[in-house]
C-alpha cells in the first residue's frame, strides 16, 4: 500500500488539525479544572477575601486553614470520614467477592442452573425492585439503623456480573482444561488462573463500586436514624440544607468562625480527594477492562 492509499486516520495530521485538537483539549481541561480550582481556593480563603469576591474566590491572596480546623475540631465530620471509608472498603470487598463468584459460575457452561440463573440475572436489568420493597426487606431482616443496610442490598449488580462474566469467557478454554488435567478444582482455577488474568476488569468494577459506596447518601438517609452513624455524604447534605454541623468543641475566646462558603467548599474537597487519590492507580486498567469485558470476538 502506497502512502497515498493509506486511510485518513493513518496519515500524518495537518498542523491546523493538531492546533485545533490542542485548543479543544485546553478548553475541555479548563472547563474541568476551573470549578475544582474555585472550590479549593474558596475553602482556603479568608472571610474578607470571600466577601470582597462575592462569595467565591478564584485565587486566594492569603491561605487560611480555618475551615478545615473548624470541620475537624470536635465535629462529626471526622467520625463520618472514618465511617465512609469503612463502608466503602467493606462494601467494595464484599461486592467484588459476590460478583466474581457469580460471574465465574455463570461463565462455566454446564454448571448447576447456569441458564436459568443467567436469565434471572439479566431480568433484573429490566425490572428493578423499587424503593419500598427494598426498605421492607431491610426492615424485616432487622438491618435498619445498621451499616449492613448500606452494603448488602446493593452488593450485587447484574451489570457488573455481565461485565466480569464476559471477561472470563474471553480467557482461553485451554487454560481451564490444562488446569483440570493437573488436578485443579474450581476454587484453585478461580484463584490461580481467573483472578490473575482478570485484574483489569476487577479494578474497573471495583472503582465503580467504590465510587458508588462513597457517594451514597440516599441509603443512609433512608436506613440510618442515628445521626452519629451518618457517613460523610449525609453530613455534607445536612450542612448544605441546614448550614450547621454537630460539634462538641468549645468555642475559644477570640476565635473567628469561618464563613459558610469556606466550610462548604472544604467539605467538597474532603469528599473528593479520596476518590481522586485512588483513580490514577486504576486508569491503566479502565479501557482494557471495559472493552475486553464488553466485546466478544
Amino acid at each position: 500500500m502506497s502512502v497515498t492509499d493509506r486511510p485518513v486516520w493513518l496519515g500524518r495530521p495537518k498542523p491546523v488539525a493538531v492546533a485545533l485538537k490542542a485548543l479543544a483539549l485546553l478548553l475541555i481541561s479548563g472547563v474541568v479544572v476551573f470549578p475544582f480550582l474555585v472550590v479549593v481556593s474558596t475553602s482556603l480563603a479568608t472571610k474578607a477575601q470571600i466577601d470582597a469576591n462575592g462569595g467565591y474566590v478564584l485565587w486566594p491572596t492569603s491561605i487560611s486553614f480555618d475551615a478545615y480546623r473548624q470541620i475537624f475540631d470536635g465535629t462529626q465530620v471526622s467520625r463520618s470520614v472514618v465511617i465512609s471509608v469503612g463502608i466503602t472498603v467493606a462494601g467494595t470487598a464484599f461486592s467484588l467477592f459476590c460478583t466474581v463468584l457469580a460471574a465465574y459460575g455463570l461463565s462455566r457452561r454446564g454448571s448447576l442452573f447456569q441458564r436459568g440463573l443467567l436469565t434471572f440475572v439479566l431480568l433484573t436489568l429490566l425490572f428493578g425492585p423499587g424503593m419500598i420493597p427494598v426498605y421492607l426487606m431491610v426492615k424485616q431482616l432487622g438491618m435498619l439503623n445498621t451499616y449492613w443496610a448500606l452494603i448488602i442490598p446493593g452488593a450485587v449488580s447484574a451489570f457488573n456480573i455481565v461485565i466480569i462474566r464476559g471477561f472470563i469467557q474471553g480467557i482461553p478454554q485451554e487454560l481451564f482444561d490444562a488446569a483440570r488435567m493437573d488436578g485443579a478444582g474450581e476454587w484453585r482455577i478461580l484463584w490461580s488462573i481467573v483472578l490473575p488474568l482478570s485484574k483489569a476488569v476487577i479494578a474497573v468494577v471495583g472503582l465503580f463500586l467504590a465510587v458508588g459506596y462513597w457517594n451514597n447518601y440516599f441509603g443512609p438517609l433512608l436506613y440510618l436514624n442515628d445521626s452519629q452513624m451518618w457517613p460523610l455524604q449525609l453530613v455534607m447534605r445536612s450542612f448544605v440544607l441546614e448550614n450547621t454541623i454537630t460539634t462538641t468543641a468549645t468555642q475559644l475566646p477570640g476565635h473567628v468562625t469561618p464563613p459558610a462558603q469556606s466550610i462548604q467548599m472544604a467539605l467538597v474537597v474532603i469528599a473528593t480527594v479520596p476518590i481522586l487519590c485512588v483513580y490514577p492507580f486504576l486508569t491503566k486498567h479502565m479501557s482494557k477492562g471495559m472493552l475486553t469485558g464488553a466485546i466478544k470476538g
Side-chain angles (χ1 to χ4, degrees):
M1 179 182 295
S2 63
V3 177
T4 56
D5 295 334
R6 288 191 303 179
V8 176
W9 57 85
L10 293 179
R12 177 172 297 181
K14 297 180 179 180
V16 177
V18 174
L20 291 176
K21 291 179 181 178
L23 179 61
L25 182 60
L26 287 175
L27 291 176
I28 295 174
S29 301
V31 170
V32 174
V33 173
F34 180 78
F36 189 72
L37 179 61
V38 172
V39 169
V40 176
S41 299
T42 305
S43 69
L44 297 174
T46 61
K47 187 177 187 304
Q49 294 174 9
I50 292 177
D51 294 339
N53 289 273
Y56 297 99
V57 179
L58 178 61
W59 191 263
T61 55
S62 61
I63 295 178
S64 173
F65 293 95
D66 291 341
Y68 294 93
R69 294 193 188 98
Q70 176 75 12
I71 288 175
F72 288 106
D73 187 15
T75 66
Q76 64 185 125
V77 175
S78 302
R79 180 174 57 254
S80 68
V81 171
V82 176
I83 292 173
S84 292
V85 171
I87 292 175
T88 300
V89 173
T92 302
F94 180 73
S95 297
L96 279 178
F97 177 77
C98 297
T99 303
V100 170
L101 288 183
Y104 177 71
L106 294 176
S107 67
R108 299 296 91 198
R109 292 184 179 275
S111 58
L112 184 63
F113 303 128
Q114 186 259 353
R115 187 176 295 275
L117 289 175
L118 180 59
T119 303
F120 178 78
V121 169
L122 294 178
L123 283 177
T124 62
L125 289 173
L126 304 176
F127 306 100
M131 180 181 66
I132 295 178
V134 174
Y135 180 85
L136 294 177
M137 180 193 68
V138 171
K139 182 179 180 180
Q140 290 297 323
L141 294 177
M143 293 191 298
L144 284 180
N145 212 36
T146 66
Y147 294 127
W148 291 114
L150 310 181
I151 296 175
I152 293 180
V156 180
S157 168
F159 174 78
N160 294 333
I161 291 177
V162 170
I163 291 295
I164 298 181
R165 175 180 177 270
F167 193 101
I168 295 175
Q169 286 183 320
I171 299 176
Q173 181 62 34
E174 291 77 10
L175 292 176
F176 298 99
D177 296 337
R180 291 190 177 92
M181 291 179 62
D182 291 337
E186 296 298 336
W187 285 104
R188 182 68 176 178
I189 293 174
L190 175 62
W191 181 262
S192 300
I193 296 178
V194 174
L195 291 183
L197 295 178
S198 305
K199 289 181 179 179
V201 70
I202 291 176
V204 172
V205 173
L207 180 62
F208 291 163
L209 291 170
V211 172
Y213 279 113
W214 180 263
N215 290 331
N216 182 25
Y217 83 92
F218 187 72
L221 180 65
L222 195 63
Y223 302 128
L224 299 182
N225 300 320
D226 187 0
S227 62
Q228 300 300 316
M229 300 176 63
W230 284 359
L232 179 60
Q233 304 299 333
L234 199 53
V235 173
M236 290 178 56
R237 176 186 178 275
S238 176
F239 179 78
V240 171
L241 294 180
E242 303 174 9
N243 202 25
T244 58
I245 297 180
T246 303
T247 179
T248 59
T250 303
Q251 189 76 13
L252 298 176
H255 178 77
V256 179
T257 303
Q261 292 91 335
S262 293
I263 297 179
Q264 289 176 357
M265 297 302 105
L267 285 171
V268 173
V269 172
I270 294 170
T272 306
V273 166
I275 296 298
L276 291 180
C277 293
V278 173
Y279 183 79
F281 297 99
L282 302 177
T283 51
K284 63 180 180 180
H285 300 297
M286 288 292 292
S287 59
K288 180 180 177 182
M290 288 300 297
L291 291 177
T292 309
I295 299 177
K296 295 289 292 180

